[in-house]
Amino acid sequence: MSITAFAPATVANFGPGFDVLGIAIDGAGDTVTVKQGEHPGIHITAIHGDDGRLPTDPAKNTASIAARETLKAAGVEMSLEIEIHKGLPLCSGLGSSAASAAAAAFATNQLIGSPLRKPDLIGPCIEAEAAVSGRHADNVAPALLGGLVLVRSIDPPDLIRLPIPDGLTIVVVTPEHEIPTSQARSVLPAEVPMQTMVSSTAQIASLVSACYSSDLSLLSRCLTDEVVTPARIGLIPGGEAALGAALGAGALGASISGAGPSLFALCRSERSARSAAQAMQEAIAQAGPNSTVRISPANCAGVRRVKR
Amino acid sequence: MSITAFAPATVANFGPGFDVLGIAIDGAGDTVTVKQGEHPGIHITAIHGDDGRLPTDPAKNTASIAARETLKAAGVEMSLEIEIHKGLPLCSGLGSSAASAAAAAFATNQLIGSPLRKPDLIGPCIEAEAAVSGRHADNVAPALLGGLVLVRSIDPPDLIRLPIPDGLTIVVVTPEHEIPTSQARSVLPAEVPMQTMVSSTAQIASLVSACYSSDLSLLSRCLTDEVVTPARIGLIPGGEAALGAALGAGALGASISGAGPSLFALCRSERSARSAAQAMQEAIAQAGPNSTVRISPANCAGVRRVKR
């Protein structure tokens, strides 16, 4: 028997929610197939769609680490063979490593009879994510649960699924430009002024209120981030101009997706999203790179079983 | 004609909401009477209940500054006489200066025919507060509007009234001990580590979610503050022990009210609140000071007109 699961792309570092807020987006994602192996241990039998760039060493790939940790959490010993179909580009700020981890954890759990609930898979996925892109859960949490997820704590995991205002549509624009993770991290400040912390808490608190009260005007006012976006936007060719262009085209707000280079914008409708996407692509093209656009309703399911 | 208004005590720096979250409490407050004056300008004719400690210079008292700014905001020139009855102790962390400002602004606006709405009075009250205790609105906002108020921005003012879980009861314990404002400020760090900012945003975002979803268990988990409470609690005799005692007695959470020395605890019921209050008083008494207890439902009206 084999189990195949699909996990969606995610936008982490959602506005003022650096490391604590992420949202799943429809359409793109990674697909992982897991079956009992013929040889002891966990093996990656194939990775498709990564141009040979991802490690097949099971100790270094997020899918196999998540599978191993899921077995451990369930108290099951089993040999596994894992096959990965990457639907997401690597290092693009779309939660590619998290999607592989979530799909592998989910498929593994189903393969052994689903002893764990979906939220229990967050721990194994955090371990996998920590091995490749740092100890944070704002990609793996929405990849697992879907929707907009607030990470109150990762040790122990404490996740809150927030309501999403009706009609909200997400644009994600991914420039063909890579930012090494080390560079994206190195530009972040080690400390922030007290006043900046106060302002950040005010904005994220207002964002949560806007979600519960479906207040798009408030959402628009508080989708700002004084710390991470200003530090990183210069790493993205045309990034600053693209964020401005999104707002100019009527988006409620725009910011960097994950560690970039993808940018996202929130819009009131799909029509508004198309306008914002075009404006953002043009701004990025002026700086050089081509880019890919994804438009998605904000609310979508998380990881799920699919036919192979 | 004279107008008399009452404004309630407030608990600012509410948990992880330093400078951005405050709540009004029932019972105690300041009362201010305003009438047209016989001599040009704004005059404070009497202050009761302050033991002669508050300035009667209208340029230095929050009531007269708020009245002056209210007239300015309404575009009205008028001479005023102001009489203040302090129901709140000074420098106790209960928003005493904010209560006087809110009552004076409200009474002044009514005296001139209510050209301004209640939320329009926040600007005049912020100006008054800035003159005596710094530019923040987490006391004046709930003193004006009542309930639990999130301050997204003060320039321009942007306030959000949050829902409050049913049954929530607030204990405030005020030790007989003064902390000079300069000392309370000097112990605050100028900068905080990035990771602390991330954790603070996660806690306040969760607190807002807990309010909307009436989830007292979540509220209890996120009523923490890693920055301000640890820095200031040592200034309050028995403070650390009192916070622990509140939790030991079943409170959902406990922290410093405003800049202290008052401490507050949130409880599920009035009965639980009485237990927490007793435990907190005993802990403080062991360190020396006597203390006063106030127990109040969390939801209460803001400033209102009263009979003199």
Side-chain angles (χ1 to χ4, degrees):
Chain A
M1 186 175 74
S2 74
I3 303 277
T4 300
F6 169 89
T10 45
V11 170
N13 299 343
F14 190 78
F18 177 66
D19 263 7
V20 303
L21 263 186
I23 193 166
I25 62 175
D26 249 352
D30 283 2
T31 306
V32 175
T33 299
V34 177
K35 65 178 179 179
Q36 185 157 15
E38 295 180 358
H39 308 286
I42 297 178
H43 302 275
I44 295 176
T45 54
I47 306 178
H48 310 278
D50 70 329
D51 291 332
R53 294 176 59 194
L54 285 177
T56 53
D57 176 351
K60 293 181 179 164
N61 187 297
T62 57
S64 39
I65 298 171
R68 179 190 75 202
E69 295 295 318
T70 299
L71 290 179
K72 198 192 289 181
V76 171
E77 286 193 28
M78 192 175 187
S79 58
L80 292 179
E81 290 182 5
I82 299 176
E83 186 174 348
I84 304 167
H85 283 83
K86 297 296 295 181
L88 297 177
L90 311 185
C91 301
S92 62
L94 289 171
S96 169
S97 60
S100 288
F106 186 82
T108 301
N109 186 46
Q110 288 226 338
L111 186 68
I112 58 176
S114 299
L116 304 174
R117 297 166 313 131
K118 236 187 194 189
D120 299 331
L121 301 176
I122 188 76
C125 288
I126 289 173
E127 291 307 318
E129 189 79 318
V132 301
S133 71
R135 202 168 179 79
H136 62 96
D138 51 338
N139 287 114
V140 291
L144 278 171
L145 304 181
L148 176 61
V149 183
L150 168 64
V151 181
R152 193 193 69 78
S153 157
I154 54 174
D155 287 315
D158 191 358
L159 310 178
I160 301 158
R161 208 155 177 269
L162 299 175
I164 295 176
D166 284 345
L168 197 68
T169 305
I170 300 191
V171 177
V172 181
V173 180
T174 306
E176 289 176 7
H177 175 85
E178 282 205 14
I179 303 173
T181 305
S182 57
Q183 192 182 8
R185 285 189 195 165
S186 70
V187 297
L188 294 183
E191 300 207 310
V192 298
M194 186 73 173
Q195 193 48 49
T196 302
M197 187 191 85
V198 169
S199 173
S200 297
T201 57
Q203 302 320 309
I204 195 168
S206 302
L207 190 154
V208 174
S209 172
C211 288
Y212 278 95
S213 58
S214 250
D215 183 340
L216 292 182
S217 165
L218 175 60
L219 184 65
S220 178
R221 298 199 295 283
C222 61
L223 208 77
T224 59
D225 151 43
E226 294 176 28
V227 180
V228 178
T229 306
R232 284 180 169 170
I233 195 69
L235 302 177
I236 303 168
E240 185 100 50
L243 297 185
L247 300 181
L252 295 164
S255 191
I256 301 173
S257 175
S262 291
L263 304 170
F264 76 97
L266 297 187
C267 300
R268 289 175 190 273
S269 66
E270 200 184 317
R271 186 177 164 190
S272 165
R274 282 196 298 268
S275 302
Q278 189 182 346
M280 293 167 82
Q281 279 201 295
E282 285 171 6
I284 291 166
Q286 285 218 340
N290 289 323
S291 57
T292 308
V293 164
R294 291 172 176 85
I295 294 179
S296 156
N299 214 345
C300 94
V303 65
R304 64 186 187 275
R305 186 169 175 180
V306 292
K307 293 206 169 148
R308 189 165 175 187
Chain B
M1 186 176 75
S2 75
I3 303 278
T4 299
F6 169 89
T10 46
V11 170
N13 299 343
F14 191 78
F18 177 67
D19 264 9
V20 304
L21 263 186
I23 193 166
I25 62 175
D26 249 351
D30 285 0
T31 306
V32 174
T33 299
V34 176
K35 65 178 180 180
Q36 185 157 17
E38 296 180 357
H39 308 286
I42 297 178
H43 303 275
I44 295 176
T45 55
I47 306 178
H48 310 280
D50 70 330
D51 291 331
R53 295 175 59 192
L54 285 176
T56 52
D57 177 350
K60 293 181 179 167
N61 187 297
T62 55
S64 40
I65 297 171
R68 179 190 75 202
E69 295 296 319
T70 300
L71 291 179
K72 197 192 288 181
V76 171
E77 287 193 27
M78 192 176 186
S79 58
L80 293 179
E81 290 182 5
I82 299 177
E83 187 174 347
I84 304 167
H85 284 83
K86 296 297 293 182
L88 296 177
L90 311 183
C91 301
S92 61
L94 289 171
S96 169
S97 60
S100 288
F106 186 82
T108 301
N109 186 45
Q110 287 226 337
L111 186 70
I112 58 176
S114 299
L116 304 174
R117 298 165 315 130
K118 235 186 194 189
D120 298 331
L121 301 177
I122 189 75
C125 288
I126 289 173
E127 291 307 318
E129 189 78 317
V132 300
S133 71
R135 202 169 180 79
H136 61 97
D138 51 338
N139 286 115
V140 292
L144 278 171
L145 304 181
L148 177 60
V149 183
L150 168 64
V151 181
R152 193 194 68 80
S153 156
I154 55 174
D155 288 315
D158 191 358
L159 310 178
I160 302 157
R161 208 157 176 267
L162 299 176
I164 295 176
D166 284 345
L168 198 69
T169 305
I170 300 191
V171 177
V172 181
V173 179
T174 306
E176 290 176 6
H177 175 84
E178 283 204 12
I179 303 173
T181 306
S182 57
Q183 192 181 7
R185 285 189 196 165
S186 69
V187 297
L188 293 182
E191 301 207 308
V192 298
M194 186 72 173
Q195 193 49 48
T196 303
M197 188 192 84
V198 169
S199 173
S200 297
T201 56
Q203 302 319 309
I204 196 169
S206 302
L207 190 154
V208 173
S209 172
C211 288
Y212 278 95
S213 58
S214 249
D215 183 340
L216 292 183
S217 165
L218 175 59
L219 185 66
S220 178
R221 297 199 296 282
C222 61
L223 208 76
T224 58
D225 151 44
E226 293 176 29
V227 180
V228 178
T229 305
R232 285 180 169 168
I233 195 69
L235 303 176
I236 304 168
E240 185 100 51
L243 296 185
L247 299 180
L252 295 165
S255 191
I256 301 174
S257 174
S262 292
L263 304 170
F264 76 96
L266 297 187
C267 300
R268 288 176 191 272
S269 65
E270 201 183 318
R271 186 176 165 190
S272 164
R274 282 195 298 269
S275 303
Q278 189 181 346
M280 293 168 83
Q281 280 202 294
E282 285 171 6
I284 291 165
Q286 285 216 341
N290 288 323
S291 57
T292 308
V293 164
R294 291 172 177 85
I295 294 179
S296 155
N299 215 345
C300 94
V303 64
R304 63 186 189 274
R305 187 169 176 180
V306 293
K307 294 206 168 145
R308 190 167 174 185

